[in-house]
C-alpha cells in the first residue's frame, strides 16, 4: 500500500477521530513538507467539510495544498488533479454534493471520505512523479 495512504488511514482511525479530510492529507505529508503534524492540522483545519460550508471537498483542497507545498504549480497539472477527481464522481467536487450522492446510495460517510482521501493521495503521488 502507498505509504501516504497508510499514514492517512492511521490518522483517520485515531480515536476519537478529530481530523477532517484536508487535515488528514496534509498530516500524511507533514514530515516531507518539514512541518509538524500539529501545524499541518492547524493549516488545514478550515478546509474540511467543504471549507466548513459544503463547498470544495477537503480531500481536494488538502491535495492542492500538498501539491503546492511540493512545488507543483503547473496549471495543467493542478487542473488535471481536480478534473480527474470530478470525473470519478459524476462531475461533483463539492463536499455537500458528494456526501448527498453517497447517502442516496446508502453509503457510510466515513467510508466515503476515507475513499476520497485515498483517491486524492494516489493522484497526488502520481502527479508528483510525473512532474
Amino acid at each position: 500500500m502507498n505509504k501516504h495512504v497508510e499514514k492517512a488511514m492511521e490518522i483517520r482511525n485515531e480515536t476519537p477521530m478529530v481530523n477532517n479530510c484536508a487535515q488528514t492529507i496534509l498530516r500524511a505529508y507533514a514530515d516531507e513538507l518539514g512541518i509538524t503534524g500539529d501545524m499541518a492540522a492547524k493549516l488545514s483545519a478550515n478546509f474540511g467539510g467543504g471549507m466548513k460550508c459544503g463547498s470544495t471537498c477537503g480531500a481536494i483542497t488538502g491535495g492542492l495544498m500538498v501539491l503546492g507545498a511540493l512545488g507543483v504549480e503547473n496549471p495543467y497539472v493542478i487542473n488535471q488533479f481536480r478534473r480527474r477527481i470530478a470525473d470519478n464522481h459524476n462531475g461533483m467536487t463539492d463536499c455537500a454534493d458528494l456526501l448527498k450522492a453517497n447517502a442516496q446510495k446508502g453509503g457510510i460517510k466515513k467510508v466515503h471520505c476515507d475513499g476520497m482521501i485515498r483517491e486524492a493521495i494516489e493522484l497526488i503521488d502520481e502527479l508528483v512523479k510525473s512532474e
Side-chain angles (χ1 to χ4, degrees):
M1 182 187 287
N2 176 310
K3 71 178 182 175
H4 297 117
V5 171
E6 281 183 31
K7 178 68 175 170
M9 291 306 108
E10 284 176 25
I11 293 165
R12 288 290 288 179
N13 291 321
E14 291 173 352
T15 306
M17 187 181 77
V18 296
N19 291 277
N20 65 46
C21 296
Q23 288 174 309
T24 300
I25 290 176
L26 201 58
R27 283 188 62 201
Y29 289 86
D31 289 342
E32 291 164 56
L33 301 177
I35 60 175
T36 66
D38 186 52
M39 178 57 70
K42 288 177 181 177
L43 288 169
S44 51
N46 294 320
F47 291 92
M51 296 182 274
K52 296 191 175 183
C53 66
S55 189
T56 304
C57 168
I60 296 172
T61 55
L64 292 171
M65 284 187 267
V66 169
L67 287 167
L70 292 173
V72 179
E73 299 178 25
N74 179 321
Y76 175 79
V77 175
I78 297 305
N79 189 46
Q80 187 178 28
F81 175 77
R82 192 206 55 77
R83 189 174 5 109
R84 285 177 60 186
I85 291 176
D87 288 349
N88 291 337
H89 299 279
N90 298 315
M92 292 180 281
T93 58
D94 282 355
C95 179
D97 295 336
L98 290 161
L99 288 176
K100 182 178 178 182
N102 179 63
Q104 288 172 342
K105 292 185 284 190
I108 298 167
K109 180 183 177 189
K110 183 180 183 311
V111 173
H112 166 77
C113 294
D114 287 355
M116 293 297 296
I117 290 166
R118 272 190 208 93
E119 180 180 345
I121 287 173
E122 288 169 357
L123 189 50
I124 291 164
D125 290 349
E126 176 188 326
L127 294 171
V128 167
K129 279 182 189 175
S130 70
E131 274 290 288

